[in-house]
Amino acid sequence: SQQGEEDPQALSIQEGENATMNCSYKTSINNLQWYRQNSGRGLVHLILIRSNEREKHSGRLRVTLDTSKKSSSLLITASRAADTASYFCATDTGGSYIPTFGRGTSLIVHP
Amino acid sequence: DAGVIQSPRHEVTEMGQEVTLRCKPISGHDYLFWYRQTMMRGLELLIYFNNNVPIDDSGMPEDRFSAKMPNASFSTLKIQPSEPRDSAVYFCASSPTGGTNTEAFFGQGTRLTVV
């Protein structure tokens, strides 16, 4: 079974609103990554957060990590129609650094 | 570098036929991954290589699936014989170190349809 799972499965918002998606995982990790997948394309890396970090920013992206709750969140501020995509978290299992992915959150941003 | 290159982009085949998917990783990347994506199961890791050597193939669903990496610039994933339940998008990815401490670079994927 997957180590990480994203929530919600689908999210629909209006342009300009913030989008928040979550990732929960089962066992301790070394690092957690977020990726984006546009329709019909491969995954593209967005941001990496290490297990000793609590928050990271990259442009309009903000990622938090709560290791006590085994969860992470990805916040996209001031969303744009171009942010429409699926978002995946990738985790390792602590003992192995190999990334495994969840099923993703499908985000639709309406113009 | 042109990124990770997969071929073909689309493949439609009849049940029972052999299917070969191809991948050219980014030059200098020591790790290569094969993933399968379906609506039901999401993105599953099938197998990964380190320096052309298969390290973990526990994700390969059945003996009908096999993967090779004869050199640092080429890998194949073969399904023989193919079945309709193999229909999915297959992704190849490469990374410098293989772990979650660096990003993985994905190809565009091969959409396989077995009829």
Side-chain angles (χ1 to χ4, degrees), chain A:
Chain A
S1 62
Q2 275 104 339
Q3 157 75 320
E5 287 295 338
E6 298 85 351
D7 172 67
Q9 287 189 347
L11 184 59
S12 181
I13 60 175
Q14 294 296 127
E15 207 165 31
E17 294 180 340
N18 294 342
T20 300
M21 52 207 86
N22 305 294
C23 171
S24 58
Y25 55 91
K26 300 172 186 174
T27 63
S28 62
I29 60 172
N30 298 297
N31 308 289
L32 185 145
Q33 302 171 318
W34 284 92
Y35 285 77
R36 183 186 71 213
Q37 182 182 31
N38 289 89
S39 180
R41 317 281 282 187
L43 279 71
V44 175
H45 184 264
L46 294 176
I47 197 165
L48 157 70
I49 188 164
R50 304 186 192 283
S51 59
N52 61 354
E53 297 175 316
R54 292 298 167 258
E55 188 171 314
K56 284 193 81 169
H57 296 257
S58 176
R60 294 183 296 111
L61 304 180
R62 172 178 169 250
V63 169
T64 60
L65 179 64
D66 187 335
T67 53
S68 67
K69 295 181 179 179
K70 293 186 172 61
S71 68
S72 173
S73 67
L74 170 67
L75 168 67
I76 304 174
T77 60
S79 63
R80 306 166 182 169
D83 294 327
T84 294
S86 291
Y87 292 82
F88 294 83
C89 67
T91 56
D92 52 47
T93 57
S96 165
Y97 279 79
I98 300 302
T100 59
F101 293 80
R103 291 180 175 82
T105 291
S106 175
L107 172 66
I108 297 175
V109 182
H110 299 278

Side-chain angles (χ1 to χ4, degrees), chain B:
Chain B
D1 202 314
V4 176
I5 300 173
Q6 291 185 247
S7 64
R9 288 295 311 278
H10 302 273
E11 176 80 35
V12 180
T13 191
E14 291 186 348
M15 182 175 63
Q17 296 297 306
E18 176 180 297
V19 175
T20 299
L21 312 181
R22 297 172 175 79
C23 175
K24 176 179 167 54
I26 292 173
S27 176
H29 283 188
D30 290 338
Y31 282 79
L32 183 140
F33 305 87
W34 282 100
Y35 290 91
R36 178 173 69 175
Q37 186 176 37
T38 61
M39 290 292 292
M40 286 292 292
R41 301 174 69 89
L43 202 63
E44 301 173 275
L45 175 63
L46 300 178
I47 185 172
Y48 73 92
F49 295 82
N50 178 21
N51 291 321
N52 313 338
V53 176
I55 302 301
D56 185 353
D57 66 354
S58 60
M60 298 284 260
E62 299 172 36
D63 291 346
R64 297 184 296 106
F65 286 70
S66 62
K68 294 181 180 180
M69 193 165 185
N71 56 62
S73 60
F74 184 65
S75 177
T76 59
L77 178 67
K78 185 178 293 187
I79 308 172
Q80 164 64 14
S82 57
E83 296 182 4
R85 60 193 167 123
D86 301 331
S87 297
V89 181
Y90 292 81
F91 286 101
C92 173
S94 71
S95 76
T97 66
T100 53
N101 50 347
T102 59
E103 69 176 282
F105 293 82
F106 281 74
Q108 300 281 44
T110 294
R111 181 174 295 277
L112 173 64
T113 303
V114 183
V115 297

